[in-house]
Amino acid sequence: MQTSIMIYDSKSHQKVDLPCSGEKGDEVKIYACGPTVYNHIHIGNARTFLTFDVIRKWLSYCGYKVTFVQNITDVDDKIINRSIEEGKTPAEIAKIYTKHFIDAMDKFGIDPPDIRPKATEEISSMINLIKKLIDSGHAYVVDGDVYFEVRTDAEYGKLSGRNIDDLQSGARVEVDSRKRDPLDFALWKAAKLGEPSWDSPWGQGRPGWHIECSAMSEKYLGLPIDIHGGGSDLIFPHHENELAQSECGFGCQFAKAWVHSGMLNINEEKMSKSLGNFLLLKDVLESCDPVALRLLMLQTHYRSPLDFSDSRLDEAKSSLDRVKSALSNLKWAVDNFDELDKVNQDSVALNESAHKLEDEDAKNLIAACDAFNIAFIENMNNDFNTAGALGELFSFINICNQMLEKTKVQSLQTITAIIYAQNKIVELLASLGIVIELGSSDDDLPGELLDIAKSLGVYEGDNLADACECILKARANARVNKDWDLSDKIRDELQTLGLIIEDTAQGARVKLA
Ligand code: AMP
Ligand code: ZN
């Protein structure tokens, strides 16, 4: 399935057709700047990494072959400073926090990139690019440092929309008499005592920050890449400098479109160590389902600022509960339908039979589901509007709940429609990386149910689901016999285990309170 996808390009400030590559135009090459590994990542970093995870997942869902590269900056001033603080080598610090980063991404459900190059393993590609820049007159050497000369690039500033003269007068650029222009930036830094360094034509040294992404984009994806991006704080100077040095050095367009995600703030304040409102991803995930955090983040469009607060996290947890409860209600209806073997659940057969249904309720659910599918796709294809897509999902979930309420007893036709709706919800949620584990019903049941079943004399075995079923049958019998004392006793005993009994059209079931 390939549909027309529009994406906001932050360089041209407009939505453009999704840029693609390959003979068939079905490949998308994406490079997103990765973390500098000197600390655990915070939830702001996580927001930006999630943006690219969702873009990637959605494009793959739409049938594109995506190659996604994300670097690890494992040599940098911050890593060196941290290594001094912790009495470790910079390589040790980088190794520790790279592992923490990968673990946190995994826990948050973010797929690993296809290629994850590390700056320290790509020094020769960076040296080659720097050589090209010196040879073409865009860079110069001073005392073992190499600088990019911004005034040699007539287009410098085209990404951030700034011009060199404005930048110079307004910027707090440190004065360095060795530079031809205060805005010139380091491509290579001469070695300082105790710092990591490598051989180069200009003596021992290490790369400047910006050069790695240019070298790695070209090496692993070939230029131009289709999409380059990161958080909006990277537009200037990092991406501006990457763009200048790549186009001057390689002599071709660097990236067809630029994607930048908005900043995450906490309680409407910028997240910063000095304000003490710095939240690490690992700490947030300790007390929160990763899916709830994903839902919270995706309920804001990726380009808008995202305000994180405990109350928003609570809201996201309740939204997730609503989705879970709707899905388990649908599953319950399906699992308890006696003639389930009569429904052909193969996706093609189901699609065909669903669109031939004649029962009014069933037909309405199919029509609502198809409308939901179209609206969800339209939102996602319109610059990855996850907030809009999720809004459609919540509306459709309400429709499903109403349908379950209304059709007390399911027929072959309504169950066919319910399975169709259930599959669509699961499929579209998964396209955003939202995977909901409903688990088998006995996963959540407490072991004490066996004692209750035994004391009621209705079950002797050790299967929790069976014990539960027998207890509910005993309660149903008690109600038929108007033995209210017994039915209340069963209800109260379950309540002490944190279980509530829910009477549904298909019979009673227990739920965790
Ligand atoms: P860093 O390790 O600082 O280079 O950051 C890694 C990624 O996180 C970059 O793409 C940054 O733009 C992004 N980032 C940093 N702070 C925030 C924030 N508060 N909100 C969203 N993204 C951020
Ligand atoms: Zn970068």
Side-chain angles (χ1 to χ4, degrees):
M1 177 195 28
Q2 274 190 35
T3 50
S4 155
I5 297 177
M6 301 300 283
I7 180 168
Y8 184 85
D9 169 31
S10 30
K11 181 162 155 286
S12 60
H13 304 286
Q14 60 187 358
K15 286 185 191 164
V16 296
D17 283 324
L18 174 78
C20 310
S21 303
E23 272 174 27
K24 294 189 198 147
D26 61 350
E27 295 169 27
V28 187
K29 304 188 288 184
I30 308 180
Y31 184 106
C33 298
T36 307
V37 280
Y38 69 101
N39 196 353
H40 293 281
I41 64 159
H42 55 64
I43 55 171
N45 303 132
R47 196 247 174 142
T48 291
F49 299 141
L50 177 66
T51 296
F52 287 91
D53 185 57
V54 167
I55 290 178
R56 195 180 164 203
K57 284 189 165 103
W58 181 253
L59 295 182
S60 304
Y61 175 75
C62 293
Y64 289 95
K65 296 185 194 101
V66 181
T67 310
F68 181 67
V69 179
Q70 185 177 57
N71 63 309
I72 297 271
T73 301
D74 60 349
V75 53
D76 172 86
D77 289 343
K78 291 189 200 119
I79 299 175
I80 295 170
N81 293 340
R82 183 82 187 216
S83 76
I84 297 165
E85 277 164 36
E86 290 200 13
K88 294 193 166 74
T89 65
E92 282 167 340
I93 292 292
K95 193 170 169 200
I96 292 168
Y97 289 108
T98 300
K99 179 163 186 326
H100 284 310
F101 165 67
I102 292 172
D103 289 348
M105 289 290 92
D106 190 44
K107 196 163 176 199
F108 195 26
I110 292 194
D111 291 333
D114 297 297
I115 305 162
R116 184 182 272 144
K118 293 188 176 129
T120 55
E121 292 170 7
E122 305 291 339
I123 302 290
S124 62
S125 321
M126 294 185 231
I127 289 179
N128 285 337
L129 174 55
I130 298 171
K131 277 190 200 157
K132 281 186 208 287
L133 289 165
I134 295 175
D135 291 348
S136 56
H138 289 289
Y140 55 94
V141 186
V142 193
D143 305 334
D145 287 347
V146 184
Y147 292 99
F148 183 88
E149 188 173 359
V150 290
R151 296 229 174 237
T152 65
D153 178 11
E155 299 188 330
Y156 188 81
K158 69 180 174 181
L159 174 66
S160 57
R162 304 167 193 219
N163 81 39
I164 298 182
D165 295 322
D166 291 348
L167 276 169
Q168 249 177 9
S169 54
R172 289 176 297 164
V173 194
E174 51 186 275
V175 182
D176 181 344
S177 57
R178 299 171 318 144
K179 291 204 239 171
R180 295 182 187 165
D181 187 295
L183 287 172
D184 292 352
F185 58 89
L187 298 169
W188 188 261
K189 297 177 176 181
K192 289 194 190 135
L193 197 66
E195 289 188 2
S197 64
W198 289 262
D199 279 337
S200 83
W202 319 287
Q204 284 281 310
R206 63 181 168 101
W209 171 32
H210 317 297
I211 196 74
E212 66 185 86
C213 296
S214 297
M216 295 176 193
S217 299
E218 193 271 342
K219 175 171 170 184
Y220 290 105
L221 292 170
L223 301 190
I225 55 177
D226 296 305
I227 297 173
H228 187 90
S232 56
D233 59 329
L234 295 188
I235 295 177
F236 189 85
H238 184 52
H239 285 164
E240 193 69 68
N241 291 351
E242 277 187 30
L243 175 59
Q245 69 202 3
S246 300
E247 297 199 344
C248 292
F250 294 118
C252 64
Q253 187 188 24
F254 179 45
K256 296 180 201 165
W258 291 79
V259 168
H260 290 103
S261 67
M263 291 291 100
L264 179 144
N265 301 316
I266 294 193
N267 298 318
E268 294 176 5
E269 276 183 333
K270 191 174 176 221
M271 199 169 36
S272 82
K273 274 192 179 150
S274 55
L275 289 170
N277 61 357
F278 210 81
L279 282 180
L280 300 179
L281 176 63
K282 75 175 179 65
D283 294 339
V284 174
L285 290 186
E286 242 163 50
S287 61
C288 150
D289 183 336
V291 179
L293 183 62
R294 182 175 278 257
L295 205 54
L296 181 160
M297 291 190 177
L298 297 185
Q299 280 177 296
T300 299
H301 187 272
Y302 79 88
R303 279 191 286 122
S304 306
L306 189 154
D307 191 42
F308 181 91
S309 62
D310 285 342
S311 61
R312 283 209 65 197
L313 190 56
D314 287 341
E315 278 166 30
K317 287 178 183 166
S318 343
S319 303
L320 178 59
D321 286 343
R322 264 171 65 207
V323 179
K324 279 186 176 170
S325 136
L327 281 174
S328 61
N329 286 342
L330 292 170
K331 183 174 183 300
W332 168 262
V334 174
D335 289 353
N336 288 279
F337 184 65
D338 289 341
E339 296 170 291
L340 196 56
D341 53 340
K342 290 193 184 149
V343 185
N344 186 344
Q345 295 198 38
D346 164 78
S347 62
V348 177
L350 183 68
N351 185 43
E352 203 173 307
S353 54
H355 289 97
K356 285 186 191 149
L357 297 174
E358 282 165 5
D359 174 282
E360 206 53 33
D361 292 322
K363 255 183 11 196
N364 287 345
L365 190 64
I366 298 297
C369 187
D370 287 343
F372 153 58
N373 185 42
I374 290 170
F376 188 101
I377 292 173
E378 271 174 8
N379 273 288
M380 287 304 290
N381 285 353
N382 181 8
D383 193 32
F384 313 105
N385 185 357
T386 51
L390 286 170
E392 297 295 338
L393 172 95
F394 289 119
S395 306
F396 182 59
I397 275 179
N398 286 343
I399 295 177
C400 291
N401 288 340
Q402 283 158 12
M403 152 91 176
L404 287 178
E405 279 290 309
K406 189 174 167 216
T407 51
K408 298 278 179 221
V409 180
Q410 304 304 340
S411 65
L412 194 58
Q413 295 235 349
T414 54
I415 276 296
T416 303
I418 286 173
I419 296 173
Y420 181 82
Q422 188 188 25
N423 290 357
K424 190 47 82 183
I425 296 173
V426 170
E427 176 190 316
L428 290 178
L429 280 173
S431 75
L432 303 181
I434 299 177
V435 179
I436 295 187
E437 306 282 351
L438 290 178
S440 64
S441 50
D442 51 335
D443 278 354
D444 301 329
L445 298 175
E448 289 89 340
L449 274 179
L450 297 179
D451 303 330
I452 298 182
K454 214 181 253 177
S455 73
L456 291 169
V458 292
Y459 182 73
E460 288 286 334
D462 58 6
N463 183 304
L464 283 171
D466 290 348
C468 187
E469 203 180 315
C470 293
I471 295 170
L472 290 175
K473 260 189 205 146
R475 173 178 170 267
N477 286 338
R479 283 158 71 102
V480 169
N481 298 330
K482 299 198 166 30
D483 183 350
W484 307 119
D485 285 348
L486 180 59
S487 81
D488 287 353
K489 175 174 175 270
I490 293 175
R491 184 200 59 208
D492 294 345
E493 288 195 8
L494 292 183
Q495 219 160 33
T496 59
L497 301 181
L499 297 172
I500 45 172
I501 299 177
E502 192 183 49
D503 290 300
T504 77
Q506 283 75 42
R509 60 169 163 164
V510 295
K511 280 196 352 186
L512 286 176

